[in-house]
Every structure is written in structure tokens, then in C-alpha cells.
Amino acid sequence: MNKVSSSQYWNQLYKSGETRWDLGKPTPIFDSWFNKIFKSQRICILGAGNGWDVLNLAKKGHTVTAVDFADVAVKNLKNSSKRLGIPIKVHSLDIFDLILYYNNYFDIVLEYTCFCAIDPNRRQNYIKLVSDILKTNGRYIGLLFPINNPSDANGPPFNVDFFETVKLFSNYMKLIFHEDPLLSIPERIGREVFVIFKNHGN
């Protein structure tokens, strides 16, 4: 089994503070994009970690479900939710088990640094999972990272080829928008693409 498929691997990184993917704040482009969404959405955040985006979007009035199988991250997120008085649902769960609990349920699945952290051999399974838990015409909104950078091939993070990834998604969803985000954090400028896919349905 690839080490990244083990919750123990990720727990150890959280315990040691080796969480360079963690921005320590909400993702700027998600914060900006959701400022334009005035109707409450059911949102699922995969590999939610410490949950900066989870808490931010729940504070904006959305119904947010967070999923992570690193117990340390889940505990951190639950403690933050309680301390701040922000209601969220948190699952201590492998994302691939989500289908046992949700089907055709979410309006939006939000992605950042989960897709690039899973075993690349499981990417097609990931995409099918996302399609299954999304409603028909639901949106997958994400930052694909790191883009076209072979030096990251041994990951995590594992390299993401943009065009190959769009092809994989096309079996289940249609790409309706993509751009090089102006709100990337400095060290990730030119290394990520903001995408929106629309789910075909189940």
C-alpha cells in the first residue's frame, strides 16, 4: 500500500508540524469566489485538514461537511469549530468511504491539495466518488496543484497534468471554467489552475 493511503502517515505529519500544504488561513480564491454565492449550498471538503476553508464557508452560511482520516486534523477542526461556535459536520473517514453515507447529495465538492495527495493510481476512483456524491449538475470547484511539474512525480504532492486530468474527469463531468488564478499564494503562482466542473449526474 502506498504510504499516502495510510492515516498514520498523515497523522505523523500533523503531529510533527510538517504541514507545508496548510496555509493557516482560508484559501484566498475560494474566499473571493464564495463571496458571490448568496444562496446556502451543501458543500463537501475532501481532505479538509485543519479546516480553514470549512470554517470560513460555514461562517458565510453554507452547510459544510468536512472529511479527513487524520485524527489529529479532525480533532483540531472540531476544537476550532467548538471554540468559534461555527456549526459544521466532520467525518473522521477515508474519503473513498463517503459513498456509504452520501449519494447525489452535495451541491459543491471543494478541492485543494487532496487530489495531489492521494495515490495517483486512485485518481479515477476519486473522480467517480466525487460524481457520485454530487447532485446532478452539482459543481466540483478546485485548485489543481502542482500543475505539470515532473519534479513532484514521487510526491506527495504528486504531479498533476492538467490536460490528462481534464480527460479523466470528462467521463463524469464537464469542465465549464478554468483560469490561472490571480489570487494564488506567492509560492504557488504558475503552479495551480482554478477549475469548475459540472457533474453529469448518476
Side-chain angles (χ1 to χ4, degrees), residues 30 33-34 37 44 107-112 130 134 139-143 194-197:
F30 294 155
W33 195 85
F34 278 95
I37 305 300
C44 181
D107 301 303
I108 293 171
V109 169
L110 196 69
E111 156 65 38
Y112 196 28
V130 169
L134 273 174
R139 302 297 199 264
Y140 175 86
I141 298 172
L143 282 164
F194 179 66
V195 295
I196 303 176
F197 287 84

Side-chain angles (χ1 to χ4, degrees), residues 161-173:
D161 181 288
F162 176 70
F163 295 105
E164 179 62 29
T165 301
V166 171
K167 184 178 178 181
L168 286 175
F169 269 89
S170 68
N171 294 320
Y172 300 95
M173 302 177 224

